[in-house]
Amino acid sequence: MSTILECKNLSKSYDKKMALNKINLSLEGGHIIGLLGPNGSGKTTLIKLINGLLQPTEGELYINENPVGVESKKVVSYLPDQTYLEANLKVREVIDYFKDFYEDFDETRAYDMLAKLHINPSDKLKTMSKGTKEKVQLILVMSRRAKLYILDEPIAGVDPAARDYILEVILSNYDEDATILISTHLIADVENILDEVIFLKNGEIVMTSSVDDIREKQGTSIDSLFREVFKC
Amino acid sequence: MPWNLNSDRPIFIQIIEVIQLDIVSGKYAPGDKLPSVRDLAQEAAVNPNTMQKALAELERSGLVFSQRTSGRFITEDTKMIEDLKSSLAKEKIEEFLENMQKLGFKKEETITLMTETLKGEKS
């Protein structure tokens, strides 16, 4: 198995506030990993560092053995927690953008998924509900044949039935040696598709474990364990 | 429709139980080919790695065997399937007896009650 992501003593501080404190992490290909932690634990900071949207204060970060940069961005497909697409565009036009931008974008896949979710490619983004927009963005991100998918809160804005479908989209659209890192608060909804979890607390990794190990050893779901570890 | 899996027990164990039941109940006949790991994972709405682990475990128990190029098959050993069926039945009965005991019934009383219930069903 190849290492897809490696963090060495990775730290990030905003002024004096430590957002991530000496993170050491190594992720292999072929896994679906949950990045879990309460608000302000550093999840989005870590994700932004991986995508080069922030510069680390200290430490190193490698993706597929390359430092963050042009080469790493070719293999990382990122779903941010906010929308960034121009609202006046039609879905079809956004797909054309993505095709231009990313060598690994698979147009057929995107149109297939749109059809399955009954989304009209001629609709403008601004006419869509929040949930539908989120679906479109996820489809765009999952239509790339990337090595590392980073999904920041992929199901937060959609209804429970659509969540099931979105998880199915995630499961059926990644290559076997690709890794998916999902950050979410909706643990109960995603925990059955995860094989590992990373618990972040105050900028530090408090636990990494296989999910079935947790269930076997602690006899509880990831959701309950989370509630226990991060009890307020 | 995703399989009905509970998230406080290891998923791979529950997958094994579902497939065992499918074999015992005849949904899969001896010698039948199992769908691919990916298809099964999608059907169950679980991670393909978890499905893989469950199938590997079933293979180790001999209930499923794999042929290098053509996939995984259900065993043709009907005795093994029968044995599994009996042991699953025994588990269910023990579980039932335990529950009856919790309700305060002795074994003999349980049997009497069961006989009565069965008679009631017939009439």
Side-chain angles (χ1 to χ4, degrees), chain A residues 142-160:
Chain A
M142 293 310 296
S143 295
R144 287 185 54 197
R145 297 191 174 273
K147 291 232 185 311
L148 178 62
Y149 297 89
I150 299 194
L151 313 177
D152 200 353
E153 295 288 351
I155 55 171
V158 300
D159 63 80

Side-chain angles (χ1 to χ4, degrees), chain A residues 165-182:
Chain A
Y165 181 76
I166 283 177
L167 295 180
E168 203 185 307
V169 166
I170 294 175
L171 277 177
S172 56
N173 282 289
Y174 82 106
D175 298 322
E176 266 160 53
D177 52 352
T179 277
I180 306 180
L181 187 65
I182 304 179

Side-chain angles (χ1 to χ4, degrees), chain B residues 14-28 58 63 81 84-85 88-89 92:
Chain B
Q14 298 181 62
I15 294 173
I16 292 174
E17 290 167 355
V18 171
I19 296 177
Q20 280 181 337
L21 197 64
D22 283 348
I23 295 173
V24 164
S25 68
K27 186 186 158 195
Y28 295 123
L58 281 166
L63 212 54
I81 297 174
L84 174 69
K85 197 171 180 172
L88 287 178
K92 292 278 173 214

Side-chain angles (χ1 to χ4, degrees), chain B residues 85-114:
Chain B
K85 197 171 180 172
S86 323
S87 83
L88 287 178
K90 215 170 155 194
E91 264 172 42
K92 292 278 173 214
I93 291 169
E94 270 160 14
E95 200 183 303
F96 166 74
L97 286 176
E98 211 181 289
N99 285 333
M100 290 303 280
Q101 207 181 359
K102 279 184 198 155
L103 285 175
F105 289 99
K106 292 199 183 74
K107 277 184 186 154
E108 299 72 37
E109 291 170 328
T110 305
I111 292 170
T112 321
L113 254 177
M114 275 188 66

Side-chain angles (χ1 to χ4, degrees), chain A residues 60-85:
Chain A
E60 292 159 77
L61 178 61
Y62 298 97
I63 290 147
N64 218 12
E65 293 173 356
N66 289 309
V68 175
V70 177
E71 284 309 310
S72 82
K73 287 180 189 186
K74 279 186 189 166
V75 296
V76 178
S77 190
Y78 169 43
L79 178 75
D81 60 349
Q82 290 160 358
T83 170
Y84 56 97
L85 299 167

Side-chain angles (χ1 to χ4, degrees), chain A residues 30-32 168 171-176 191-195 212 215-216 219-222, chain B residues 2-3 5-14 38 41-42 45-50 53:
Chain A
H31 292 281
I32 304 182
E168 203 185 307
L171 277 177
S172 56
N173 282 289
Y174 82 106
D175 298 322
E176 266 160 53
E191 66 170 87
N192 283 7
I193 74 161
L194 302 177
D195 44 6
D212 271 353
R215 297 189 185 109
E216 204 159 52
T220 112
S221 65
I222 312 305
Chain B
W3 297 1
L5 303 171
N6 193 322
S7 38
D8 50 18
R9 285 200 304 133
I11 302 290
F12 82 97
I13 292 179
Q14 298 181 62
R38 243 185 136 74
Q42 217 177 315
V46 300
N47 190 304
N49 292 327
T50 313
K53 190 172 171 190

